[in-house]
Amino acid sequence: MALGEVVAQLIAVRGAIQTAIGLTANAADEVTDALAKAEDALAGANHDLAMEGLGLWRRAQSGDEFTVAKLVAADEALAEYLEILSPGSGAGTKNTDIAKPSGEELVKARPTGSRSQNLFRTMVQRDNDIDDAMKDLGKHQKFLEISDPDWEPPPTYTTNEVGHRIPVMTAPDAPQPDAASIGSLAVASGILIVAGAKKAKDITKTAIEHWRSK
Amino acid sequence: MNEDERSLLTAAITSGVRAPMDAIERLGNNRTFHIMAAAMSIAIERGFADGTTPAQIQNYVEDLLERFPKADGEIKASALEAVIRAGLGEPELIEPLTYDDLLGASYLLTFDLISQQELDDAGREEYFQTVIALADEES
């Protein structure tokens, strides 16, 4: 998408916002429509700056309600982005005619539901793809286990036949460490505390390679 | 409500029940998330009265994480506070949260708030039906 088209979309959103400021519920609906159209149009544009500008507007939006203060803030944010995208064109001129609201004057965007309906809708009407974000089904297991008071994490150590405490190996054919290697791991673990994460990772890797090579 | 949905909700509000991974797999992440989002939304509505202050919510979350130490580090206190406050009229607070944040909060808050209600069989069934009706709005 050409820069001019991106700017045009953002200007359209700005126009709708300015219409909505201090006006009616229908005007606020127009903002929502303009925003949806702009987002659709910009989705394939890979124009991070424009999308960030819309993100600012999204953050300024408050669920089923638009406060005038938030509309003004969103308009100013978009104006600043337009000035960067198209300097000197006038698209980014701030509207000084807009009266700054003195309080929380509310403009209803659409009928509100119950509190639970509003929260639910806000949670599920996000742009992200849930399947993509939640690829790991194990996350469900992890979170549900948190509320199980009897759940214990799987053991990381066990005791061998001669009474030595050894790490539990997850790979079925993984070699079991001997006493010297366990000593190396123990020393490494002690060093971890003082050596910092990156260094500790290297030390642990070295210790594991040491006993695996035996 | 099918058996997988019932299984998920039962696990979510019952202590000591393992996650029904087979049921979750059949439901898919999308439906599972919708059901848990609905379960938490209703739990928050029932658990927090209008006018609950941010300070009261902060105290509740601190207490919650003390009672569920396994959640510490897995679920952010800020995410818990954000979803509760979102349920009380500040929906914009949810925007920066990830699905991990929301899902973790949904399991913990649903379990805690609904188990506090000590629902009998009829009450639990009514809760399940209400949750599924809400989840069906977007499915």
Side-chain angles (χ1 to χ4, degrees):
Chain A
M1 179 181 286
L3 180 62
E5 291 176 70
V6 173
V7 170
Q9 289 293 344
L10 294 179
I11 290 172
V13 175
R14 257 199 99 187
I17 291 172
Q18 291 180 7
T19 305
I21 292 172
L23 294 180
T24 65
N26 290 331
D29 279 342
E30 288 171 15
V31 177
T32 304
D33 291 343
L35 177 66
K37 285 176 187 166
E39 284 183 330
D40 286 345
L42 295 172
N46 192 26
H47 200 297
D48 293 343
L49 196 59
M51 293 308 285
E52 196 174 340
L54 289 178
L56 273 177
W57 150 247
R58 273 275 188 223
R59 284 192 289 278
Q61 186 183 359
S62 176
D64 288 344
E65 295 177 337
F66 295 87
T67 66
V68 174
K70 286 176 178 176
L71 288 168
V72 172
D75 181 56
E76 289 183 351
L78 276 174
E80 287 169 14
Y81 276 99
L82 281 165
E83 188 56 32
I84 295 169
L85 290 176
S86 184
S89 69
T93 304
K94 290 191 179 178
N95 188 345
T96 54
D97 294 335
I98 297 171
K100 296 289 191 291
S102 57
E104 286 292 290
E105 183 185 349
L106 298 181
V107 182
K108 295 285 184 188
R110 53 186 182 270
T112 56
S114 66
R115 286 197 290 138
S116 58
Q117 279 178 315
N118 290 338
L119 176 57
F120 172 73
R121 289 169 185 161
T122 306
M123 287 176 68
V124 301
Q125 289 174 352
R126 292 154 62 101
D127 298 332
N128 304 0
D129 183 270
I130 296 174
D131 276 332
D132 189 49
M134 295 295 301
K135 282 177 186 165
D136 180 10
L137 276 173
K139 288 173 182 172
H140 296 290
Q141 181 80 37
K142 177 180 72 177
F143 290 137
L144 272 169
E145 281 168 347
I146 283 168
S147 59
D148 175 3
D150 299 323
W151 179 84
E152 294 292 339
T156 52
Y157 286 89
T158 187
T159 305
N160 67 10
E161 63 276 10
V162 293
H164 290 138
R165 192 164 170 264
I166 59 171
V168 171
M169 307 309 296
T170 52
D173 57 350
Q176 292 299 310
D178 59 16
S181 302
I182 294 167
S184 301
L185 283 170
V187 170
S189 300
I191 294 170
L192 294 185
I193 298 167
V194 293
K198 185 175 184 307
K199 178 129 181 155
K201 193 174 172 186
D202 295 340
I203 292 169
T204 305
K205 189 177 172 191
T206 303
I208 291 170
E209 284 170 352
H210 167 71
W211 65 255
R212 276 194 172 153
S213 66
K214 284 180 176 286
Chain B
M1 174 169 43
N2 64 37
E3 284 311 304
D4 288 337
E5 292 166 344
R6 182 180 298 281
S7 171
L8 172 64
L9 285 170
T10 301
I13 66 168
T14 310
S15 177
V17 173
R18 290 285 187 270
M21 297 306 291
D22 289 348
I24 288 171
E25 192 158 6
R26 282 190 294 270
L27 290 169
N29 281 324
N30 201 60
R31 179 66 175 165
T32 300
F33 180 76
H34 282 187
I35 291 172
M36 289 311 304
M40 178 173 71
S41 300
I42 293 167
I44 290 173
E45 185 175 51
R46 292 184 179 188
F48 294 92
D50 280 330
T52 304
T53 66
Q56 289 171 320
I57 293 167
Q58 189 179 350
N59 288 339
Y60 165 77
V61 169
E62 281 178 12
D63 173 67
L64 180 71
L65 291 177
E66 279 180 16
R67 288 186 285 116
F68 294 91
K70 289 196 290 274
D72 199 14
E74 298 283 356
I75 301 173
K76 298 175 202 160
S78 59
L80 294 165
E81 288 180 32
V83 292
I84 297 169
R85 288 179 59 175
L88 290 164
E90 297 179 273
E92 71 277 8
L93 295 178
I94 279 183
E95 188 148 339
L97 302 185
T98 65
Y99 279 112
D100 259 4
D101 291 333
L102 293 174
L103 192 68
S106 73
Y107 280 123
L108 187 55
L109 290 174
T110 299
F111 176 77
D112 188 59
L113 295 170
I114 296 302
S115 61
Q116 283 179 22
Q117 295 196 341
E118 299 180 344
L119 299 174
D120 58 16
D121 287 349
R124 190 162 53 242
E125 184 63 22
E126 187 270 336
Y127 171 67
F128 286 179
Q129 296 291 349
T130 310
V131 168
I132 294 302
L134 183 54
D136 284 345
E137 271 196 8
E138 295 293 331
S139 297

